Amino acid sequence: MTAETPPNRKTVSDDDTELVQAINAGHTERFQELVRRYEQKLYNFGRRMCRNESDAEDLVQDTFLNVYRFLKDFRYETKFKNWLYRVAANTSLKRQRRSKFAPEPELSLEEFARNEEAELIETVPDWARMPLDQILNEELLETLNQAIWSLPEKYRIVVILRDVEEFSTEETAQILNLSPANVKVRLHRARLFLRDRLKGYFSHDL
Amino acid sequence: MTCKPHDYERCLELFGKLSEYIDREMDEAERRDLEAHVAECLACLSCLQSLKQTIALCKQIGRQPVPVVFSQKLQSMVQDLQRSR
């Protein structure tokens, strides 16, 4: 089956279109160029998704293998980058599902709200109002990375796509095949989880 | 400085919407309503500011360079794919 675009279907053209079309037209030697263009982005996506570095590398490798296999099915209906992340996200979720048997925990908004009510902090903490350059250091970034890795994966992938990779809600919904409303729910809970970890870090630090 | 006494049910209701507010995904009326509440409620202001700072920190995680050995491994993988066609 070919991936020709039927008439009247909206297509998206971006900086990758020429390269992807060339590869699909048979210039497979240019796949190398595509790998070089995206290896850093995917490597960092992998490092955020996987605690273990070799798992991250396997994820990147499997993603490029899948891209190579399925590129002919790309229909130019989204930015290529968004399609690439869709392949990466599917590859990641499949890999992680294979390695786990227990269902993942849900993050409950009610629980976050209960904790908030119990604490009822009526002053903005210093860490939340200081300029970023005054609080940023290696230890804090490591704490944040650890917190991201501690998130159940369905929340982790949403916060990585939205707040680290900076995709929009709509794009994230497309990449993950979720509704925008579902993306918003998961994102808010993931952010509250990370905020609690940061609160913990700063309260130990004081 | 403390909050004026008020209905904390409203705080709980807005607690679930703070991300939508930060991401500018709220309609104008809801936005004005939340801003009016936060102007009077230090607990919600604290929550909003710490959530905003959390998001700002996520954007600072930064990018690590790809290890040279791994980059070479990817290139060999692509060469193998082409040879096997």
Side-chain angles (χ1 to χ4, degrees), chain A residues 38-49 59 79 81-82 84-85 88-89 148 156-169 171-172 175 187, chain B residues 55 57-64:
Chain A
Y38 281 105
E39 65 181 2
Q40 200 200 5
K41 278 193 180 3
L42 284 189
Y43 176 74
N44 280 279
F45 171 76
R47 289 297 285 131
R48 300 285 92 77
M49 282 302 294
L59 168 60
K79 287 182 190 164
K81 182 184 164 197
N82 297 10
L84 176 75
Y85 271 84
I148 291 174
R156 190 187 329 143
I157 201 161
V158 169
V159 81
I160 290 171
L161 291 173
R162 284 286 285 113
D163 289 343
V164 180
E165 303 290 339
E166 302 194 47
F167 284 103
S168 68
T169 299
E171 287 174 318
T172 304
I175 289 169
L187 178 65
Chain B
I55 298 164
L57 283 168
C58 283
K59 295 186 196 302
Q60 296 296 317
I61 275 190
R63 297 207 174 270
Q64 297 170 22

Side-chain angles (χ1 to χ4, degrees), chain A residues 36-90:
Chain A
R36 274 197 299 272
R37 198 175 281 186
Y38 281 105
E39 65 181 2
Q40 200 200 5
K41 278 193 180 3
L42 284 189
Y43 176 74
N44 280 279
F45 171 76
R47 289 297 285 131
R48 300 285 92 77
M49 282 302 294
C50 310
R51 195 183 288 265
N52 182 302
E53 186 165 355
S54 73
D55 287 346
E57 292 185 358
D58 288 348
L59 168 60
V60 178
Q61 216 169 326
D62 288 355
T63 299
F64 279 124
L65 282 172
N66 284 330
V67 169
Y68 192 82
R69 271 177 70 196
F70 296 114
L71 192 63
K72 62 183 181 314
D73 298 328
F74 176 59
R75 291 176 178 274
Y76 307 92
E77 289 169 349
T78 69
K79 287 182 190 164
F80 171 74
K81 182 184 164 197
N82 297 10
W83 182 82
L84 176 75
Y85 271 84
R86 186 170 183 151
V87 176
N90 284 338

